Amino acid sequence: QVQLAESGGGSVQPGRSLRLSCATSVFHLDDYAIGWVRQAPGKEREGVACITTSDGSTVYADSVKGRFSISRDNAKKTVDLQMNSLTPEDTAVYFCAAVAPRCYSDFDFDYWGQGTQVTVSA
C-alpha cells in the first residue's frame, strides 16, 4: 500500500511563492511517478505536475508551466512542488498522487494523499 502525506500548504498573497512537499511510504521511489493534482471549489480535479522519479522526466499543465517546478529526492522519498508567482486562480486543495511506473499525459494516478489547502488572496 502506497501512502502519501502532503505538507506546506497555506495562505499567501498573489505573486508570492509556496513549496509543497509529499512524503511517501514506498520502498523504492523510482518505481513510481509522483504528481500533484488540485481541485478548486466547484471545479473538476486538474493535473498540475508529475515527475517520473526513475529518470526525472516531468509533465506540467499549461496553466502552471514556467511558474511551478516539481522535483524529487529519491533518498528521502519525497517529491516537492515549488510554486512561484501564485495567483488567486491557483487556490485549491492540492493532492499528492502516485502511479507506477511513469507519468501519463492525462495525470492518471492510483494512489492519493489527503490533500493540503493552498489559498492565494490579497
Side-chain angles (χ1 to χ4, degrees):
Q1 182 73 14
V2 176
Q3 294 182 323
L4 307 167
E6 305 93 340
S7 62
S11 297
V12 295
Q13 295 179 328
R16 303 298 293 268
S17 299
L18 269 180
R19 189 175 184 91
L20 304 182
S21 186
C22 177
T24 75
S25 68
V26 299
F27 191 70
H28 290 295
L29 185 63
D30 56 8
D31 289 340
Y32 294 88
I34 307 294
W36 292 89
V37 176
R38 66 186 180 186
Q39 187 164 23
K43 295 186 177 180
E44 294 184 355
R45 283 188 176 182
E46 176 191 19
V48 174
C50 183
I51 185 166
T52 297
T53 57
S54 58
D55 63 11
S57 59
T58 57
V59 179
Y60 291 96
D62 288 342
S63 59
V64 305
K65 281 181 181 177
R67 300 189 299 123
F68 290 13
S69 178
I70 190 169
S71 61
R72 92 290 197 193
D73 186 324
N74 284 29
K76 295 181 179 179
K77 301 180 184 178
T78 58
V79 171
D80 289 354
L81 183 68
Q82 178 67 40
M83 305 185 295
N84 299 327
S85 302
L86 286 162
T87 74
E89 288 69 38
D90 295 315
T91 295
V93 177
Y94 284 71
F95 297 89
C96 178
V99 65
R102 61 177 179 83
C103 298
Y104 296 94
S105 59
D106 61 356
F107 294 97
D108 191 23
F109 297 99
D110 293 326
Y111 307 97
W112 296 83
Q114 294 297 308
T116 185
Q117 177 70 46
V118 172
T119 302
V120 185
S121 67

